[in-house]
Structures are given as structure tokens and as C-alpha cells.
Amino acid sequence: MVRKTKEEAAATRDQLLDSAESVFFDKGFANTTLMDVANHAGLTRGAIYWHFKNKHDLFEAMIERVHLPIEALAEACADENETDPLGKFKEFSVQLIRLIATDKRQQRVFSIMLHKFEFNGDVTQIEDRQKVSFVECHDRIKRTLKNAIKRGQLPKDLDLDQAAQVKHGYFTGIVNNWLFYPQSFDLNAMAETIVENYFFLLTNSPHMRLSQQQAVA
Amino acid sequence: MVRKTKEEAAATRDQLLDSAESVFFDKGFANTTLMDVANHAGLTRGAIYWHFKNKHDLFEAMIERVHLPIEALAEACADENETDPLGKFKEFSVQLIRLIATDKRQQRVFSIMLHKFEFNGDVTQIEDRQKVSFVECHDRIKRTLKNAIKRGQLPKDLDLDQAAQVKHGYFTGIVNNWLFYPQSFDLNAMAETIVENYFFLLTNSPHMRLSQQQAVA
DNA sequence: AGAATAAAACATTCATGCATGTATGTAAAA
DNA sequence: TTTTACATACATGCATGAATGTTTTATTCT
């Protein structure tokens, strides 16, 4: 039983990615063998080396599979022509938290990224990719907030950079903690409150505004 | 040149811990060899196996060295007899961020914990230790806030659990992001603003309060 | 249309290197 | 003389990557 058709081959590839998610989540990235992944899929290492260049290539493919659709959603919030950027942003933020809180696949992949994978000196490709996402995310938030200011939804002297930094840190921090210790609180139930608190800061906190000197400069 | 005196042996142990910090930070935990650590210290693996049980034991010792003093400071904030718990808490929070922002050793160790080490199924000891710290930290924050409420520094209907969760997530999230990408913003400069924003939420955000039903129950 | 050929989609086998743990050696301190 | 504080040497296992094998599908030639 070799040489499947194109669709069967694609299914095999997905199987391998599913296995990678499962095994990386259970054993951690560095600690899992490609044989582990292959066995879990009922295949051999030969299949992995056919579909992917190596272990890191497999990892990147696994990340991309869940990362791309989320990025598309986030990008929609940052659209200049969006007439309710703040509302859209708020809605997206709650949805994303809820998604992570309920979808097993998202939980596994995010958990792997945050707690079951380590950055080491020689594999800069993955770290670089993460940094690009990091910067893009920060930029997207800033564009969204800028549009919200333009449309009078947020104060004009809002410190955009800080607001973006706080949003990114605050949200990922809470998700990070929950993924590390899911029993510690109910993420799904807290989703709205978490988001509301951030937007409360945006509109009300004097510490989120540009200082006089910064505003002048 | 063997058989040093007690003090020299202790110095060797510290050297090994220093090397571990440096090499783990550069190459990641899983990717570094005990020979790497030994070589960096100008010693051999024999020295490591004398002072530590194995690689994980070395790791835990490295963590404890920076963890213990910080925990002691945090515990002081949670003291019931503290007359200004909120002020102490705020001061400590700023100091901790500043410490991480300026002290190279703290940066390395925290960075290793957050980005250069992964949890794998078989080594539950380290993960369990982290979870204990996690719960202790959460409990400490709650005790501190409770004392602050008792002394009229915070509203009585503050949602303690949520406030603790937000604090932990928000702070570690921002530090996490900065350690991952230090060039992205100036953590030291932002320290006070970060903290002020959290305390603004504590005293002003309606979403940080217990809902009527929760308050009754 | 049927045969021949190529190429896809894996499985199997092989060679290599390297990290770990342990066992043993050794010199100085107690 | 024993024990400490390491260094050196050894045995083991295992994961990787590449090489080769195998079968079926797709393509081309006649």
C-alpha cells in the first residue's frame, strides 16, 4: 500500500500534523522523536521526511495551520474603512479568547508554542518568524486604535504604542497563564470581563495618555 | 589540582550555575550539553555530576538561586500587619519590573524559564514546582489585596480572584513580551505606567467588581 | 487501447554521531 | 588513612538524515 492519490497524500500530511500536535503537546518538542510522531499517525518516519524537510519544518507547518486564519481575522479589524474599529476589535478579542478557551486544537498549538517549545541559538528561523508575527501584531493593533481615534471612539492623546504593548502583553499573559494551569480559573467565563477591563483602560486611564512633552514632540 | 577546600568547592558550584545561566540562555536548555556547561566554566562534566544529580537538578538549582529572594520580597507585601499594603504592593511591583529590566542575571534566568525551556511529560518535578509558585503567587496577591480592602484602600466589592488573575497575567505578559523582544519597547521606562494602569483598574474599573449575584453568594 | 516508462508516496535499512550516566583514577585536604 | 572534589575513560542507547526498496498511480509511446 504505497503511492496514494493526491487527496490521500494530503490527508496523510494532515494526519502527520495532527499527530505532531498531539505528541508535541504530550512530550514537548525537543523530547519527541520523529518516530513518535510517525507511530502516533500509524506511519513511519519515511512519510514525515517525504512531506517535511525535518522536525522544524514540521513544527512550522503545524503552527501555520492555526496561525493563518487567526491573522486574517485580526487583519480585518485593522481595515481603514472599518466604521466601527473599536467594536470590531472588542468583538474579535472576545472571540479569540473564547476560541482558545474552547477549541482543543488551539489550546494544544498555543500551549506548544508557549510552553512546549524552546528557542535555541541555531534555529533562528522559527524565532525570527515569531518576531515577525510579534511586530505585525503590534502594528495591527496600532492601526486599529488609530482608526478608532480618527472616528472619535478613543481620545486623541492616547499613547498608541503603550496601548498596543499593554493589549498584547495583557491578553497573551492571561492566556499564557491559563494554558499553563487551566484549572486555575475559567477563561471562557472571564473572556468578556478581561476585554472590558482593557477597553476601560483605553478610554479612562490617565496613564494611557501621552504626556505633555511627548504630545508636543 | 583537585580536592579544593569547602569555600572553593562552593565557588565551583556557583561557577557552574553561572555557566548554566549563560549557556542555557544562548543555546536553550534541551539543546545544551552538560559538556557545554562544563567547558564554559573551564571544568569537566565530572564537576557537574559531583555538585548536581543531573541536568534537571542543575536547572532547578539555577532557578532557585534567583527565585527565593524575590519570593521573600513579595511575601512581605502580603503581611497582615502591613499598614500600607497597597503602597507596598505598588512599590514592589515597580521594583520587580525595574529589576528585570536592568539586571542581566534576572533577564537571563527569566528568559530561560519562559522561552528557553520546555515542559515535557516525564519531568513533572519542574512543572509541578512552577505550578506551586503559580498558586503561591496568586494566593499572595489575594492576601495583599484583602488587607488593602480591610484598610479601606480598595473597594469592598472588588473581585479578588479576578484582580489577582489579571495582575499575574498582565505583569508576566508584558515582561514575557519584553524578554522575547527587548528592542520592542523600554521596559524600565514603562515600569511605573504599567503598574499605575493596573492600580487604576483596581480602584476604578466596574468590571473588576463582584457582580450582585456573586456578592450575595 | 495497451504496453512501457516515469514518478509519486511512502516503508525499510543503514551509517553516523553524540549525549548521558557510570565507573574508575587521582591528588589534596581532613 | 580516609574522604573530598573533581578529571578521565568507558559503555550504552538512541535520534537523525540519507540511501535504498517497493508498490501504485500517472504519463507517454505505439
Side-chain angles (χ1 to χ4, degrees):
Chain A
M1 22 50 168
V2 207
R3 174 56 174 154
K4 317 284 178 62
T5 133
K6 283 250 178 184
E7 300 89 45
E8 285 177 309
T12 300
R13 198 187 119 102
D14 269 334
Q15 260 188 61
L16 289 172
L17 290 176
D18 291 345
S19 291
E21 277 182 12
S22 179
V23 184
F24 287 161
F25 179 75
D26 286 339
K27 306 188 59 177
F29 176 76
N31 202 36
T32 75
T33 307
L34 288 185
M35 185 147 67
D36 292 335
V37 176
N39 283 349
H40 187 272
L43 298 162
T44 67
R45 277 171 53 238
I48 296 181
Y49 277 103
W50 173 257
H51 286 283
F52 308 96
K53 198 182 163 195
N54 51 31
K55 198 177 176 185
H56 286 96
D57 191 36
L58 172 65
F59 182 83
E60 286 189 280
M62 185 194 75
I63 298 294
E64 290 300 306
R65 193 166 62 150
V66 309
H67 198 44
L68 291 178
I70 291 179
E71 267 198 351
L73 280 179
E75 192 56 44
C77 297
D79 185 6
E80 266 193 67
N81 301 319
E82 173 61 48
T83 53
D84 180 20
L86 206 62
K88 194 97 176 180
F89 193 35
K90 194 183 282 193
E91 187 190 1
F92 164 73
S93 301
V94 174
Q95 274 182 357
L96 183 56
I97 295 180
R98 289 245 165 88
L99 177 68
I100 296 174
T102 55
D103 187 298
K104 292 288 175 191
R105 160 158 298 169
Q106 305 291 336
Q107 289 166 25
R108 277 198 301 266
V109 175
F110 274 88
S111 190
I112 291 168
M113 275 174 34
L114 294 170
H115 303 299
K116 275 76 183 298
F117 175 80
E118 59 176 69
F119 296 113
N120 48 16
D122 44 60
V123 190
T124 52
Q125 32 178 356
I126 294 179
E127 189 168 354
D128 289 345
R129 177 72 181 83
Q130 294 280 107
K131 285 193 179 172
V132 168
S133 299
F134 191 98
V135 172
E136 282 176 356
C137 178
H138 187 255
D139 182 62
R140 231 178 358 242
I141 297 172
K142 269 176 70 177
R143 278 184 289 139
T144 307
L145 295 178
K146 197 173 283 182
N147 193 22
I149 293 176
K150 204 180 81 183
R151 301 188 188 255
Q153 298 186 306
L154 286 176
K156 281 183 186 129
D157 59 344
L158 184 72
D159 187 334
L160 279 181
D161 264 303
Q162 196 202 147
Q165 226 72 64
V166 166
K167 149 94 186 177
H168 197 187
Y170 173 56
F171 282 71
T172 59
I174 288 187
V175 169
N176 198 317
N177 282 352
W178 182 76
L179 286 171
F180 175 65
Y181 202 167
Q183 301 94 332
S184 60
F185 62 99
D186 186 341
L187 182 62
N188 193 49
M190 266 186 73
E192 274 202 29
T193 323
I194 292 169
V195 174
E196 290 295 346
N197 271 324
Y198 172 69
F199 284 88
F200 182 80
L201 273 186
L202 279 188
T203 47
N204 297 300
S205 173
H207 307 97
M208 272 293 200
R209 312 298 174 84
L210 291 164
S211 74
Q212 217 62 13
Q213 292 180 333
Q214 284 173 305
V216 170
Chain B
M1 22 55 170
V2 207
R3 175 59 174 152
K4 318 283 179 59
T5 129
K6 281 250 180 184
E7 300 89 46
E8 284 177 310
T12 300
R13 198 186 120 102
D14 269 332
Q15 260 187 63
L16 289 173
L17 291 175
D18 291 346
S19 291
E21 277 182 15
S22 179
V23 183
F24 287 161
F25 180 74
D26 287 338
K27 306 189 59 177
F29 176 76
N31 203 36
T32 73
T33 307
L34 287 183
M35 186 148 67
D36 292 335
V37 176
N39 283 348
H40 188 273
L43 297 163
T44 68
R45 280 171 51 242
I48 296 181
Y49 277 101
W50 174 255
H51 285 284
F52 309 95
K53 195 182 166 194
N54 52 30
K55 200 178 175 185
H56 286 98
D57 191 36
L58 172 65
F59 182 83
E60 287 191 279
M62 186 195 74
I63 298 295
E64 291 301 305
R65 193 166 61 152
V66 308
H67 198 45
L68 291 178
I70 291 179
E71 267 197 352
L73 280 179
E75 193 56 41
C77 297
D79 186 5
E80 267 194 65
N81 301 319
E82 173 61 47
T83 53
D84 179 20
L86 205 63
K88 195 95 175 181
F89 192 35
K90 194 184 283 194
E91 188 191 1
F92 164 71
S93 302
V94 174
Q95 274 182 356
L96 182 56
I97 295 179
R98 289 245 166 88
L99 177 67
I100 296 174
T102 54
D103 186 300
K104 292 287 176 192
R105 161 159 296 172
Q106 306 290 337
Q107 288 166 26
R108 277 199 301 266
V109 175
F110 274 88
S111 190
I112 291 169
M113 276 174 34
L114 294 171
H115 304 298
K116 276 70 183 300
F117 175 80
E118 58 176 67
F119 297 111
N120 48 17
D122 43 62
V123 190
T124 51
Q125 30 177 358
I126 294 179
E127 189 169 353
D128 290 344
R129 178 69 181 85
Q130 294 279 108
K131 284 192 180 170
V132 168
S133 298
F134 191 98
V135 171
E136 283 176 355
C137 178
H138 186 254
D139 182 63
R140 232 181 354 245
I141 297 173
K142 269 176 70 178
R143 279 185 287 139
T144 307
L145 294 178
K146 196 173 283 181
N147 193 21
I149 292 176
K150 203 181 81 181
R151 304 193 184 251
Q153 298 186 306
L154 286 176
K156 281 180 186 134
D157 59 345
L158 184 73
D159 187 335
L160 278 180
D161 265 301
Q162 195 201 149
Q165 227 71 65
V166 166
K167 150 92 186 180
H168 196 186
Y170 173 56
F171 281 71
T172 58
I174 288 187
V175 168
N176 197 318
N177 282 352
W178 182 75
L179 286 170
F180 175 65
Y181 202 166
Q183 302 92 334
S184 59
F185 62 101
D186 186 341
L187 181 63
N188 194 48
M190 266 186 71
E192 275 203 26
T193 323
I194 292 170
V195 174
E196 290 294 346
N197 271 323
Y198 172 70
F199 284 88
F200 183 81
L201 273 186
L202 278 188
T203 47
N204 297 301
S205 173
H207 307 98
M208 271 295 200
R209 310 299 173 85
L210 290 165
S211 74
Q212 216 62 14
Q213 292 180 332
Q214 284 174 305
V216 169

